[in-house]
Amino acid sequence: MSSAAQNNGHHFFPLTLSVKLKYVKLGYHYLVPNSVYLLLIPLAAVFLTNLSTLSTADLLELCSRNSAILTATSISLVFLATVHVMHAPRKIYLLDFACYRPSPAQMCSKERFMRISSATGKFTEQSLEFQRKILEKSGYGDMTHIPTGLLGELPADQSMAAARAETETAIFGAIDDLLDKCGVEVREIGVLVVNSSLFNPTPSLSAAIVNHYKLRGNVLSFNLGGMGCSAGLISVDLAKDLLQVHPHTYALVVSTENIIRGSYFGNDRAKLLSNCLFRIGASAVLLTNRRSERRRSKYQLCHTVRTHKGADDRSYRCVFQEEDEQGIVGVSLSKDLMAIAGEALKTNITTLGPLVLPFSEQILFLSTLIARKLMKSKAIKPYIPDFKMAFEHFCVHAGGRGVLDEVEKSLDLAEWHMEASRMTLYRFGNTSSSSLWYELAYSEAKGRIRRGDRVWQIGFGSGFKCNSAVWRALRTVDPKCERERTNPWAGEIDGFPLELPKLAPVVANKGLA
């Protein structure tokens, strides 16, 4: 046999084996969830066969003899059904959402960012070089946005007035677009939840929204601060709980972050990361428990799972706001951040898995876990559940390229599953808790959301927290309609996805002032 033939045979056998294993696994996953039905079919056949031998007179006689039992059974079933309906949790629907799209004048390329940083005179050459390297590896494009207060004359305007203008422009822009989409009167909104970590003025941002839109006097308003990039899903979870006890109402959830108040003008590398990563963004989401709104709602909220690792000191301090040696306030990002995020994700999916995974996957996971415990052998690798069997779409917080790489590896996801997150990071940067909605808007604009599709949103935040929300699409989202209406990707979605290089050089900062 020739060497070529030997090579072909050598490669053919593993290929054939892998194909066979693929179909064995498909057959297993089909058999296990349907095993109950397969067992019931023979029993149903025997029952129907015996029933067919009875005449009408025999059936009437059987019913008359057991009329008391039948009546009692019927009453019990009606009673149990009534109790179930009365105590069943209210279904929560997502009517629609909107994301703020800053003006083109606020667009800041990586080169422009370095030019502004150099012109401030606040950073050493080493700090400027560090920022340049971070931007080169960030996965960012040249179309992200920063506040006008940081783009104008130097020194940068970090006043309360500038910070208010930045945040109010973003959140009012998102809310205006949302109300235009939904056609809901503002006085019908009974719950308002706003989250912003670094900017919490008095009166609060929630009060600013109430004042601007003249919401009703008994609106339940909440303002969440200091909860990091996962606060958007915390806000959704809070709104869900409030909608369980306040019937026939709407809940407005607004997520944003303030770049001006979060900017750092010192030379501590751990704090310089925030300057390079965070960009302007805001989202507004309208939830409701009105059954009449199901028909025109986009999604139904299925599950929310919150994981808090704050009891561990290492997790608690991995994202920490503090002064540097010169007394300049900034947010430090620990070197252990990726490892801590991975641990938090594992804890979160341990709770989420049984709620969403098919029974076949749960059996594989449990059997592998038991085998590892009993045999105490490291040769048996832990089984990683295939979450692609539970979800069609993944929206992972666009916190940075490292975060996305870690989640992709941990969950064994394909490039297609990570596309919305990576393109959002490239186009808009890290917009904190609102990034998940820019990602979902990407999938909608691409025409990928079909009725019945399941969406998994994963958020990470200081504390340290990992939170999840699971949505089910109630209808197919028309991409043409989304592009014509308010969508942050409108007019440019056809240019995505892009091939992203591992390293995108930035013009050297020397001489850029």
Side-chain angles (χ1 to χ4, degrees), residues 29-49:
H29 284 302
Y30 178 80
L31 181 64
V32 172
N34 296 289
S35 58
V36 175
Y37 302 106
L38 295 175
L39 291 172
L40 288 176
I41 288 174
L43 295 176
V46 172
F47 175 75
L48 292 174
T49 301

Side-chain angles (χ1 to χ4, degrees), residues 82-327:
T82 303
V83 171
H84 172 73
V85 170
M86 291 179 64
H87 290 84
R90 302 179 194 276
K91 293 182 179 180
I92 308 302
Y93 305 111
L94 189 157
L95 208 60
D96 215 325
F97 67 95
C99 300
Y100 172 65
R101 183 170 176 169
S103 69
Q106 294 176 286
M107 201 170 286
C108 183
S109 66
K110 296 191 290 288
E111 178 186 350
R112 187 181 186 186
F113 179 91
M114 290 306 306
R115 185 165 62 247
I116 293 171
S117 295
S118 178
T120 62
K122 300 289 186 179
F123 305 109
T124 64
E125 287 297 320
Q126 292 80 7
S127 294
L128 289 171
E129 181 64 15
F130 175 74
Q131 292 181 76
R132 183 180 65 81
K133 289 182 178 179
I134 293 298
L135 288 174
E136 289 179 341
K137 300 176 183 178
S138 65
Y140 282 34
D142 289 323
M143 297 180 290
T144 61
H145 304 84
I146 63 175
T148 305
L150 299 179
L151 290 171
E153 297 181 0
L154 296 174
D157 185 1
Q158 288 187 290
S159 65
M160 284 293 292
R164 278 187 184 277
E166 175 199 336
T167 295
E168 290 181 358
T169 300
I171 61 179
F172 293 164
I175 296 172
D176 286 346
D177 291 342
L178 177 64
L179 295 177
D180 182 60
K181 278 185 175 184
C182 297
V184 173
E185 295 292 333
V186 292
R187 297 194 66 82
E188 294 183 273
I189 297 173
V191 175
L192 171 63
V193 185
V194 184
N195 66 270
S196 173
S197 287
L198 297 178
F199 183 53
N200 292 284
T202 300
S204 66
L205 296 178
S206 59
I209 293 174
V210 172
N211 175 262
H212 183 79
Y213 292 97
K214 309 306 177 187
L215 301 187
R216 67 195 199 199
N218 63 343
V219 64
L220 302 173
S221 65
F222 298 85
N223 201 92
L224 307 183
M227 302 195 78
C229 300
S230 67
L233 296 185
I234 295 174
S235 298
V236 168
D237 184 61
L238 175 58
K240 178 197 72 173
D241 290 342
L242 292 168
L243 288 175
Q244 292 300 321
V245 294
H246 297 280
H248 205 64
T249 191
Y250 297 94
L252 175 61
V253 176
V254 181
S255 301
T256 191
E257 190 51 83
N258 192 278
I259 309 304
I260 286 179
R261 301 297 284 186
S263 296
Y264 170 70
F265 292 96
N267 291 284
D268 184 340
R269 289 193 174 188
K271 297 177 178 62
L272 284 172
L273 285 169
S274 296
N275 285 9
C276 300
L277 297 179
F278 286 98
R279 296 293 184 267
I280 292 178
S283 64
V285 181
L286 192 63
L287 305 175
T288 184
N289 53 20
R290 293 187 176 186
R291 294 182 181 179
S292 59
E293 290 285 25
R294 185 186 190 280
R295 180 182 55 82
R296 69 186 189 110
S297 294
K298 280 186 175 179
Y299 305 93
Q300 180 178 331
L301 181 59
C302 301
H303 306 287
T304 54
V305 175
R306 293 170 57 178
T307 299
H308 205 309
K309 307 290 286 185
D312 175 67
D313 291 342
R314 179 166 153 266
S315 298
Y316 172 69
R317 295 192 64 88
C318 72
V319 180
F320 208 81
Q321 186 177 26
E322 58 187 353
E323 297 92 348
D324 64 10
E325 293 179 353
Q326 282 71 44

Side-chain angles (χ1 to χ4, degrees), residues 39-88:
L39 291 172
L40 288 176
I41 288 174
L43 295 176
V46 172
F47 175 75
L48 292 174
T49 301
N50 291 329
L51 190 63
S52 63
T53 62
L54 299 176
S55 64
T56 304
D58 293 334
L59 290 173
L60 292 173
E61 183 180 356
L62 184 64
C63 290
S64 62
R65 289 181 179 179
N66 299 280
S67 59
I69 296 176
L70 290 173
T71 301
T73 302
S74 300
I75 293 174
S76 299
L77 290 174
V78 170
F79 174 75
L80 291 174
T82 303
V83 171
H84 172 73
V85 170
M86 291 179 64
H87 290 84

Side-chain angles (χ1 to χ4, degrees), residues 412-427:
D412 191 25
L413 300 179
E415 288 184 11
W416 188 89
H417 296 110
M418 299 298 296
E419 182 182 310
S421 300
R422 293 195 186 280
M423 293 306 105
T424 295
L425 184 68
Y426 175 87
R427 174 61 182 86

